[in-house]
Amino acid sequence: MKTVQKRSMQDMWQDSWLTGGSDAWLESQYEAWLKNPSSLPLEWQDYFQKLSPDGDVSHDNVRNFFLQIPKMPRSVPSQNGDAHRVLQQEKLADLIAAYRSFGYLQASIDPLDLHRGPSHPALALSWHGFSSADLTTVFDTHSFAAPGRSSATLGEIHAALLKTYCGTIGIEYTHISSQAEVDWIQQRMESGWAGFTLSVDEKRRILDRLVVADGLEKYIGLKYVGQKRFSLEGGDSLIPMLDTIVTTGSERGVREIVIGMAHRGRLNVLVNILGKSPASIFAVFEGKEEHTDLSGDVKYHMGFSSDIQTANGPLHLALAFNPSHLEIIAPVVQGSVRSRQRRRKDTDHVQVMPIQIHGDAAFAGQGVVMETFNLSQTRWFTVGGSIHIVINNQVGFTISNPRDARSTRYCTDIARMVEAPVLHVNGNDPEAVCFAAKLAVDYRARFKKDIVLDLVCYRRHGHNEADEPTATQPVMYRVIRSLPTPAALYADKLVQEGVIDKDLESQLAKNYRDKLDTGNSVVPLANSNEVYQFAASWQPFENTDWKMAVQTGVPADRLKVLAQKLETLPPGFELQMQVKKMMEARQKMTEGEQPLNWGYAETLAYATLLEQGYPIRLCGQDACRGTFFHRHAVLHDQNTGAVYIPLSHLSDKQSQINLIDSLLSEEAVLAFEYGYASAEPNYLTMWEAQFGDFANGAQVVFDQFISSGEQKWGRLCGLVVNLPHGYEGQGPEHSSARLERWLQLCAQNNMQVCVPSTPAQVFHMLRRQMIRPWRKPLIVMTPKSLLRHPEAVSSLEELASGQFQNVIPETQTLNPADVRRVVLCSGKVYYDLLAKRSAQKQTDTAFIRLEQIYPFPEAELKNALAPYQQVKKIIWCQEEPMNQGAWNFVREPLSALLSPKQTLSYAGRAATAAPACGHYSVHQQEQTALVDQALTG
Ligand SMILES: Cc1ncc(C[n+]2csc(CCOP(=O)(O)OP(=O)(O)O)c2C)c(N)n1
């Protein structure tokens, strides 16, 4: 390549690397670079730029020549026949490459034929210098020749390209950088799709699936007129698509599928894929469903699971409970799948497969889609690929103009970020739909990556059944109203092919209606002794009470043994200097030479749980080290970079711990952890925010799942959420974890909100979370400065005995008769109050710490207040502004505990818009003032 000499353009063309036997792919890259350098990644741009031809033949010469090629007369001098043949073959290679890369732009994927965009110039024969005279020229080709032949005319090849890449499937795959994947897909498309045929039985099966999809909607539409069901009609092919995925999946070893989907078509999937009994769905339409103590949810959000019978044995299907918030279910499903894969020891991600069903507007619009794709190939979050289906009905509520719905050409373009193949399929060609579905399952099985099926269809009615679509989409709906159903269209096709009788469609429809009338499941279900063996049992956690006492202490000698194991490193393991100091300090704590700090107690909590058989998954941004340098659960050898995790080296029988530095997402990562924890009651699953305030980026997960999932759907979950919180002058964003937000969400014992103030408290709190048979989310305000505060320490004995104290009464010996005020508080401010009281040698003020704010520990607080009956002033002190923190939550239940002679008052910052001020000096003045106010009020 580097030895191009000064020669004429024609010479150069004839024997330079442009025409000769160099690698076809490299050539195509070079050509792409010549046409448009910025179309290639920077490293390739750089590579070609540096690959400068010798002498005065520059890239510019080559580029100029190359760009002339399409315009050049194609009749190469006859005296050079070989050159002509090579040139023609090269032009053909360009043409084929163009169809592989851009054919999808011209594919016939829209059943409404409304939005066919501009095509690509390289799809025209003339772009490559071919004229109609060339159509009969014969070329060597295996891919596009008729079976048994190794050559075809240009006309035949062009027709095959159109059929393969511009038919009812438009496939995007040449953006994938793995040549193995590209080759695999190419082969599937060029031999598989081009020659795709189905047996008569398969065709009948597809027709039957279309008939049931349509039949259910019509049945409900007629029986329950105007009631919301978010009809699938127009996207009917979803049912044969899912049917194919389930069948093919079961052939490839899939034993469990978890589906995430929104409202559209959900009832149809429940009845026709999962086999939920139609009677139970009709009962909801009739208002006759069973009521429980829970507050419940609307019918198109409810989840369900079943065991269906396939030719390859039973297959467990689960449709995840779903809030209204579009797309947020995707990471929850991923987490659930990962948890189920772990339970089955399915490390190759074969047995459990996710299907994510999206709407076109939501897929393009919601940021969590991108976050979930970003999780998809990472070490601790991958599930070996998801099959994404977009029910692309080309309208989102009332938006249908793509120029308003997104800035990308396709609603699926976000998937290109993970180099997922995308198949746009015309929903009115159900055979193409099934071909694409099969390809998707095989691709995932082979490459363990995400793949997208863009089911291009339409929405026969309005957004819901009470909604009139022509008000905003008159033209689109004129077309839609003229379209026969997908079932009718396909039945016509099969009649024309002579595959079925004319009346088969109506017979199938009648049979289906008869089945619906019985109310029984319309899907063959697995027989009862074959059903799902891998379900987690939540039964021990049902109807239990948060007040039950559990012993969480661990004998001191056992703690010492574990601590010594945690402090033992592999020979020669070189710690970083500060980490070494931390480890030395921990050794002193074990020896009883120093009191225990936060990191020590927390680590021992994990060690004891692991030893007792509770696995742990702790995940967050920088969670392995700990944002505030206190945890160091994963150690790094300074010489070799090797990693050592002491918590994984306790004993051969211990449970597994996964310590995870997550990628920089709150919403998708927290949703994933919620999904994980919801599928596994005996796993201590923890998510840690970098600073507590960042949790609001995941607010949907708190509102829609963590706080309300049990009441809406009866789903228990023991997820722990660590939110660093405390006013230390770090400004408005890093002081507050917005304690008030979580408290506002608390009711019906839905979750716990704790603010532990000592290392022993965090030890017992974490252990209680697993040992007490009560699974509720635990929101923890975790400390920052307290991690190193000399007073925020505990003794080994405090870990060895006792339990988590929901309330910590006054710890110093005060004479209750001297006490004139009782200050109640939570968290770090206790230590500020303590310091001032000690400095002032004040004996007239008692402190009570509220360590669990919800469920409100009324009885324990009453006991703690009991010695101070004569005290008139009860003060709630907090460092958060008055409109924030716990004040508004605690004032009512606290007041209820006081005698008529006692008054409750507030000591703290005034109400403010921001959580904290931005100036350190102001912060200090405020902090001093609120402590003074509490101690003198
Ligand atoms: C996060 C969120 N924002 C807004 C809505 C309200 N909403 C419900 S359905 C819908 C349109 C969704 O369009 P698309 O994703 O194309 O699905 P389709 O309803 O067409 O099947 C909207 C905006 C919602 N449910 N969730």
Side-chain angles (χ1 to χ4, degrees), residues 263-264 324-326 359-363 366 391 393 395-397 459 463:
H263 49 288
R264 177 86 45 225
S324 203
H325 294 55
L326 296 166
D360 49 315
F363 197 53
Q366 295 290 305
I391 305 178
N393 55 25
V395 56
F397 221 129
R459 192 185 71 189
H463 174 63

Side-chain angles (χ1 to χ4, degrees), residues 286-441:
E286 290 162 17
K288 293 183 189 155
E289 75 271 31
E290 261 181 51
H291 289 268
T292 64
D293 293 344
L294 304 173
S295 53
D297 201 352
V298 294
K299 51 188 169 294
Y300 41 85
H301 288 164
M302 297 310 282
F304 183 72
S305 63
S306 63
D307 296 276
I308 62 163
Q309 192 60 44
T310 72
N312 305 288
L315 193 144
H316 186 71
L317 290 176
L319 178 66
F321 292 87
N322 188 67
S324 203
H325 294 55
L326 296 166
E327 296 298 337
I328 190 64
I329 198 62
V332 175
V333 164
Q334 303 296 99
S336 177
V337 167
R338 175 92 185 194
S339 198
R340 291 161 192 256
Q341 288 176 339
R342 188 202 64 83
R343 199 181 306 142
R344 284 178 176 264
K345 299 189 174 48
D346 180 20
T347 45
D348 292 336
H349 315 291
V350 170
Q351 296 171 39
V352 191
M353 180 172 85
I355 302 178
Q356 305 279 9
I357 304 179
H358 315 266
D360 49 315
F363 197 53
Q366 295 290 305
V368 72
V369 174
M370 169 268 166
E371 290 190 18
T372 311
F373 273 121
N374 206 16
L375 289 178
S376 66
Q377 288 296 312
T378 55
R379 185 162 46 133
W380 298 107
F381 299 92
T382 188
V383 291
S386 298
I387 296 190
H388 297 268
I389 300 171
V390 184
I391 305 178
N392 182 355
N393 55 25
Q394 311 186 60
V395 56
F397 221 129
T398 64
I399 288 212
S400 62
N401 187 337
R403 290 173 64 194
D404 297 330
R406 55 184 182 265
S407 289
T408 53
R409 180 161 190 154
Y410 295 98
C411 64
T412 52
D413 284 354
I414 186 69
R416 293 175 75 124
M417 72 176 266
V418 291
E419 298 191 1
V422 178
L423 286 91
H424 309 280
V425 194
N426 189 320
N428 269 3
D429 182 351
E431 293 186 3
V433 165
C434 294
F435 173 84
K438 214 168 187 154
L439 186 152
V441 177

Side-chain angles (χ1 to χ4, degrees), residues 117 128 215 458 546 643 647 692 765 846 862:
H128 303 277
Y458 57 93
W546 69 272
V643 154
L647 282 164
M765 179 192 72
K862 208 169 173 179

